[in-house]
Coordinates of all heavy atoms in Angstrom, one line a residue:
R215 N 1.3 5.7 -1.4 CA 0.6 7.0 -1.9 C 1.7 7.7 -2.6 O 2.8 7.9 -2.2 CB 0.1 7.7 -0.7 CG 0.2 9.1 -0.7 CD -0.3 9.9 0.6 NE -0.1 9.3 1.8 CZ -1.1 9.1 2.7 NH1 -2.3 9.3 2.5 NH2 -0.8 8.5 3.9
L217 N 2.9 11.3 -3.8 CA 2.7 12.8 -3.4 C 2.7 13.7 -4.5 O 2.3 14.8 -4.3 CB 3.8 13.1 -2.3 CG 3.8 12.2 -1.1 CD1 5.0 12.6 -0.2 CD2 2.5 12.2 -0.4
V218 N 3.2 13.2 -5.7 CA 3.2 14.1 -6.8 C 2.4 13.7 -8.0 O 1.8 14.5 -8.7 CB 4.7 14.2 -7.3 CG1 4.9 15.1 -8.6 CG2 5.6 14.8 -6.2
E219 N 2.4 12.4 -8.3 CA 1.8 12.0 -9.5 C 0.2 11.4 -9.3 O 0.0 10.8 -8.2 CB 2.5 10.7 -10.1 CG 3.9 10.9 -10.4 CD 4.8 10.6 -9.3 OE1 4.4 10.0 -8.3 OE2 6.0 10.7 -9.5
Y224 N -4.8 1.3 -17.6 CA -5.6 0.7 -18.7 C -5.3 -0.8 -18.8 O -4.2 -1.2 -19.0 CB -5.4 1.3 -20.0 CG -6.2 0.8 -21.1 CD1 -7.6 1.0 -21.1 CD2 -5.6 -0.2 -21.9 CE1 -8.4 0.4 -22.1 CE2 -6.4 -0.8 -22.9 CZ -7.8 -0.5 -23.0 OH -8.6 -1.1 -23.9
G228 N -6.2 -10.0 -18.3 CA -6.3 -10.4 -16.9 C -7.1 -9.6 -16.0 O -7.8 -8.8 -16.6
R238 N -12.4 -1.4 -2.3 CA -11.9 -2.4 -3.1 C -12.8 -2.6 -4.4 O -14.0 -2.5 -4.3 CB -11.8 -3.8 -2.4 CG -10.8 -3.8 -1.3 CD -10.6 -5.2 -0.7 NE -9.4 -5.2 0.1 CZ -8.8 -6.3 0.4 NH1 -9.3 -7.5 0.2 NH2 -7.7 -6.2 1.3
R243 N -10.0 -6.7 -18.5 CA -9.6 -6.3 -19.8 C -10.6 -5.1 -20.2 O -11.8 -5.3 -20.1 CB -9.6 -7.3 -20.8 CG -9.0 -6.9 -22.2 CD -9.0 -8.0 -23.0 NE -10.5 -8.1 -23.5 CZ -11.0 -8.6 -24.6 NH1 -10.1 -9.0 -25.4 NH2 -12.2 -8.6 -24.8
D245 N -10.9 -2.1 -18.8 CA -11.2 -1.2 -17.6 C -10.1 -0.2 -17.6 O -9.0 -0.4 -18.0 CB -11.4 -1.9 -16.4 CG -12.7 -2.7 -16.2 OD1 -13.6 -2.4 -17.1 OD2 -12.8 -3.5 -15.4
G252 N -2.1 11.4 -4.0 CA -2.5 11.4 -2.6 C -3.3 10.3 -2.1 O -3.5 10.0 -0.9
S253 N -3.9 9.5 -3.0 CA -4.7 8.4 -2.6 C -3.9 7.3 -2.2 O -2.8 7.0 -2.7 CB -5.7 8.0 -3.8 OG -4.9 7.4 -4.8
L258 N -3.6 -6.4 -6.6 CA -3.1 -7.6 -6.5 C -3.7 -8.3 -7.9 O -4.9 -8.4 -8.2 CB -3.7 -8.4 -5.4 CG -3.4 -9.9 -5.2 CD1 -2.0 -10.2 -5.0 CD2 -4.2 -10.5 -4.0
G260 N -4.9 -11.0 -10.6 CA -5.8 -12.1 -10.4 C -4.8 -13.5 -10.7 O -3.8 -13.5 -11.4
P264 N -2.0 -13.9 -17.0 CA -1.1 -12.8 -16.7 C -2.0 -11.5 -16.6 O -2.8 -11.3 -17.5 CB -0.2 -12.9 -17.7 CG -0.2 -14.3 -18.2 CD -1.6 -14.7 -18.0
C267 N -1.1 -4.4 -18.2 CA -1.8 -3.1 -18.2 C -0.8 -2.0 -18.6 O 0.4 -2.2 -18.6 CB -2.3 -2.7 -16.7 SG -1.1 -2.7 -15.4
P273 N 2.4 14.1 -13.3 CA 3.4 14.4 -14.3 C 4.5 13.3 -14.4 O 4.5 12.4 -13.6 CB 4.0 15.7 -13.8 CG 3.9 15.7 -12.3 CD 2.6 14.9 -12.1
T278 N 11.8 7.4 -12.8 CA 13.1 7.4 -12.0 C 13.0 6.5 -10.8 O 14.0 6.0 -10.4 CB 13.4 8.9 -11.7 OG1 12.4 9.4 -10.9 CG2 13.6 9.8 -12.9
T280 N 11.1 3.7 -10.7 CA 11.2 2.4 -11.2 C 12.6 2.0 -11.5 O 13.1 0.8 -11.4 CB 10.2 2.0 -12.3 OG1 10.5 2.9 -13.4 CG2 8.8 2.2 -11.8
A281 N 13.4 2.9 -12.1 CA 14.8 2.6 -12.6 C 15.6 2.4 -11.3 O 16.5 1.5 -11.2 CB 15.3 3.8 -13.3
P295 N 9.8 -14.4 -8.7 CA 9.5 -13.4 -7.6 C 10.6 -13.6 -6.5 O 10.9 -14.7 -6.2 CB 8.1 -13.6 -7.1 CG 7.4 -14.4 -8.1 CD 8.4 -15.2 -8.8
P297 N 12.0 -12.0 -2.6 CA 11.5 -11.3 -1.3 C 11.9 -9.8 -1.5 O 12.9 -9.4 -2.2 CB 12.4 -11.8 -0.2 CG 12.9 -13.2 -0.7 CD 13.0 -13.1 -2.2
T320 N -3.6 -8.2 -0.1 CA -3.8 -9.6 -0.2 C -5.3 -9.9 -0.3 O -6.1 -8.9 0.0 CB -3.2 -10.4 1.1 OG1 -3.8 -9.9 2.2 CG2 -1.7 -10.2 1.2
T321 N -5.7 -11.1 -0.6 CA -7.1 -11.3 -0.7 C -7.8 -11.3 0.6 O -7.6 -11.1 1.6 CB -7.4 -12.7 -1.4 OG1 -6.7 -13.7 -0.7 CG2 -6.9 -12.6 -2.8

Side-chain angles (χ1 to χ4, degrees):
R215 143 180 40 232
L217 301 177
V218 175
E219 304 95 1
Y224 175 73
R238 287 188 173 197
R243 189 182 73 152
D245 287 345
S253 65
L258 177 65
C267 60
T278 61
T280 59
T320 60
T321 56

